[in-house]
């Protein structure tokens, strides 16, 4: 099922079987995208909305010198550009990190859903509000945490989000990101990321190597990150339990 991870772990149970079927049948097309592929450029007109089915994507902005700042990372089940439905364009670029599968929803079809299924519409609105909550936490991370805290927070968040959809277990998950990607998400240099990851490895907190992450001490990493998953609005006890102390 292409839309099976939409809001999984975050009020997916609030959707009726009919609403899930309506959403699944509304998919206009499915595409496979290669790694490191820019799917949408800032300012381009948007006529479809994209649900990430498999893989990881990111939103980013470039400064005038061409340096990139990641402003979000997306995991399967996320609508990566649903806000483009009413706004008709994006104010950032959208790209894949690794190979991805996406489901596209034509805006004409979404307009019909909005008219016919008010509760499903509210749940899609809830999805965009989750995006906003994550953005606020990223602002906090960038503004108030040091380098170690920023990197720790990113890995804690990804672990929590992936646990919700069954793609992380016991602090282990795949992440097709480079140290440069992590640097661009955390507002520090690649050299600094390398140093932070080495420190975390030596302290037996986190191991990240060849696209595989292993959180070895969840409690201490969460303390370093000042991480509280409440902003992710999870609704399933099994993933909440996975956020407890390990080690």
């Amino acid at each position: 099922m292409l839309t099976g991870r939409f809001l999984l772990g975050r009020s997916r149970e609030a959707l009726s079987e009919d609403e899930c079927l309506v959403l699944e049948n509304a998919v206009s097309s499915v595409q496979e995208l290669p790694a490191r592929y820019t799917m949408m450029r800032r300012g381009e007109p948007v006529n479809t909305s994209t649900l990430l089915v498999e893989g990881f994507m990111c939103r980013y902005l470039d400064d005038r010198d061409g340096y990139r700042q990641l402003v979000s990372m997306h995991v399967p089940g996320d609508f990566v550009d649903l806000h483009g439905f009413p706004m008709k364009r994006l104010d950032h670029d959208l790209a894949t990190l690794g190979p991805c599968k996406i489901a596209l929803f034509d805006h004409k079809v979404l307009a019909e859903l909005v008219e016919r299924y008010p509760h499903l519409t509210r749940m899609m609105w809830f999805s965009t509000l989750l995006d906003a909550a994550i953005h606020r936490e990223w602002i906090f991370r960038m503004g108030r945490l040091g380098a170690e805290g920023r990197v720790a927070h990113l890995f804690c968040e990804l672990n929590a989000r992936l646990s919700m959809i069954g793609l992380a277990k016991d602090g282990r998950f795949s992440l097709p990101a480079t140290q440069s990607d992590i640097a661009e998400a955390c507002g520090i240099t690649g050299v600094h990321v390398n140093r932070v990851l080495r420190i975390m490895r030596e302290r037996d907190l986190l191991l990240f190597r060849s696209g595989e992450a292993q959180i070895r001490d969840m409690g201490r990493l969460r303390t370093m990150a000042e991480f509280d998953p409440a902003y992710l609005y999870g609704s399933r006890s099994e993933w909440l339990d996975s956020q407890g102390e390990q080690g």
Side-chain angles (χ1 to χ4, degrees):
M1 192 173 186
L2 295 169
T3 61
R5 286 195 170 109
F6 175 60
L7 294 182
L8 188 61
R10 292 153 146 179
S11 300
R12 170 81 181 186
E13 66 278 4
L15 291 172
S16 69
E17 289 185 12
D18 286 344
E19 288 171 331
C20 292
L21 185 59
V22 165
L23 187 63
E24 185 75 13
N25 290 337
V27 175
S28 304
S29 64
V30 179
Q31 295 182 9
E32 306 254 353
L33 304 178
R36 306 289 156 176
Y37 173 76
T38 300
M39 177 186 152
M40 184 67 65
R41 292 288 186 184
R42 180 179 185 178
E44 292 180 350
V46 177
N47 299 310
T48 59
S49 289
T50 307
L51 179 71
L52 182 56
V53 179
E54 297 176 3
F56 291 77
M57 299 184 75
C58 66
R59 302 183 207 171
Y60 67 93
L61 293 165
D62 290 325
D63 67 15
R64 66 182 63 184
D65 295 320
Y67 292 104
R68 189 175 69 157
Q69 176 67 48
L70 267 62
V71 295
S72 68
M73 285 189 183
H74 289 284
V75 303
D78 289 353
F79 264 105
V80 299
D81 56 358
L82 192 56
H83 51 285
F85 172 45
M87 302 179 78
K88 302 306 178 187
R89 63 179 177 85
L90 301 183
D91 52 24
H92 52 269
D93 294 349
L94 181 63
T96 64
L97 291 175
C100 292
K101 177 187 285 188
I102 59 172
L104 297 175
F105 294 77
D106 188 278
H107 283 176
K108 292 180 181 179
V109 176
L110 287 182
E112 293 177 3
L113 293 186
V114 168
E115 293 293 330
R116 296 176 58 191
Y117 300 95
H119 179 257
L120 180 56
T121 300
R122 288 195 295 273
M123 297 307 294
M124 295 175 75
W125 184 24
F126 177 69
S127 174
T128 63
L129 295 177
L130 284 173
D131 270 352
I134 292 172
H135 278 302
R136 286 190 290 272
E137 194 72 11
W138 278 46
I139 292 170
F140 162 77
R141 182 181 75 210
M142 294 287 288
R144 303 308 305 169
L145 300 180
E148 292 182 11
R150 295 180 191 184
V151 174
H153 193 285
L154 178 64
F155 278 91
C156 285
E157 178 185 290
L158 289 172
N159 176 68
R161 292 167 67 186
L162 291 169
S163 293
M164 290 179 183
I165 58 175
L167 294 180
K169 185 176 182 180
D170 299 327
R172 296 173 181 262
F173 55 91
S174 296
L175 177 64
T178 65
Q179 290 189 11
S180 293
D181 295 327
I182 295 170
E184 290 163 352
C186 295
I188 56 180
T189 66
V191 172
H192 208 161
V193 168
N194 183 274
R195 185 181 306 122
V196 169
L197 290 175
R198 186 183 70 248
I199 290 171
M200 290 182 175
R201 182 175 65 249
E202 292 171 349
R203 294 178 182 174
D204 203 29
L205 297 175
L206 169 71
L207 180 62
F208 180 62
R209 183 178 296 157
S210 301
E212 297 292 329
Q214 178 185 1
I215 299 176
R216 299 181 63 85
D217 192 321
M218 184 70 73
R220 289 167 60 205
L221 197 70
R222 283 186 59 175
T223 297
M224 177 183 289
E226 299 186 29
F227 180 73
D228 180 350
Y231 71 97
L232 297 173
Y233 291 86
S235 60
R236 290 170 54 185
S237 60
E238 57 263 36
W239 84 262
L240 287 169
D241 290 342
S242 75
Q243 306 309 298
E245 293 193 0
Q246 298 177 5

